Amino acid sequence: FELREAHRSFGGGFDEQVYARVAAHPGVALASPALEIETYALRSDGQRVALRVIGLDALVAAPLSAQLLPRPTAGADRLSVLDPGAVFLNSSASQKLVRPGAAAEAAGTLQFGSAAGTVALEVKGSVAAQGPALAVMDIAGAQSTFDRLGLLNRIDLRLKPGVDVAAFAERLRS
């Protein structure tokens, strides 16, 4: 089950305090907040590459979104998943942003589009997620970097056994 923003209030998200209310609901077994941003990164030749950045809490996301779990490169600090200036690329983003033959971690620092222009983020590993170009980073770092402090636009949920999904969703709306 996934709770997404119902409308585009607050400039593309909802107040992160909703997460606390949803996570504390007696029918919720696990809850993981997320912030998705459609932006771009610059290749070394200056060309823009469209990609999605997902900010998540790596400490709670694993059981619900294993494919998005950051995998630090060999030799990187295992706590780099919490570094607000670190990103982890999927294979599609690596192919588009990293010079041919180089590993994702060889990208070093990449420039990402933000409300303030561009911001440098350091590539510190990868994610297993397939599909379009994607970068994953710590949710607090994403909120700060992309000027979305206090906002989320998704909460991934695992409900407790026996919870009626339709009734649960209706109760949240009220």
Side-chain angles (χ1 to χ4, degrees):
F1 183 79
E2 183 179 285
L3 175 64
R4 286 189 178 263
E5 63 185 297
H7 51 82
R8 296 281 178 185
S9 61
F10 302 109
F14 54 84
D15 191 300
E16 70 183 358
Q17 292 181 21
V18 171
Y19 169 72
R21 183 174 65 99
V22 170
H25 188 283
V28 173
L30 293 169
S32 178
L35 178 65
E36 295 184 22
I37 297 114
E38 297 293 334
T39 188
Y40 65 88
L42 297 174
R43 291 185 352 181
S44 60
D45 63 5
Q47 182 177 350
R48 288 182 179 198
V49 174
L51 80 156
R52 176 176 295 183
V53 174
I54 298 178
L56 55 77
D57 182 342
L59 300 177
V60 298
L64 296 171
S65 305
Q67 73 282 5
L68 295 176
L69 194 62
R71 301 180 302 195
T73 59
D77 183 347
R78 64 185 174 88
L79 295 178
S80 64
V81 300
L82 303 175
D83 180 346
V87 292
F88 300 82
L89 305 178
N90 74 349
S91 61
S92 179
S94 290
Q95 290 171 3
K96 293 177 180 180
L97 293 166
V98 181
R99 72 181 186 282
E105 55 273 14
T109 301
L110 294 173
Q111 297 293 320
F112 287 79
S114 75
T118 59
V119 62
L121 297 171
E122 188 175 352
V123 177
K124 291 200 174 180
S126 62
V127 295
Q130 297 299 307
L134 173 76
V136 173
M137 66 186 298
D138 177 69
I139 192 165
Q143 287 173 317
S144 176
T145 299
F146 296 99
D147 197 26
R148 300 276 189 0
L149 291 176
L151 297 177
L152 303 174
N153 54 17
R154 190 175 91 204
I155 301 172
D156 297 332
L157 300 172
R158 178 172 297 151
L159 300 179
K160 291 181 179 175
V163 172
D164 180 280
V165 174
F168 174 81
E170 184 58 37
R171 182 156 189 171
L172 284 181
R173 285 186 198 95
S174 57

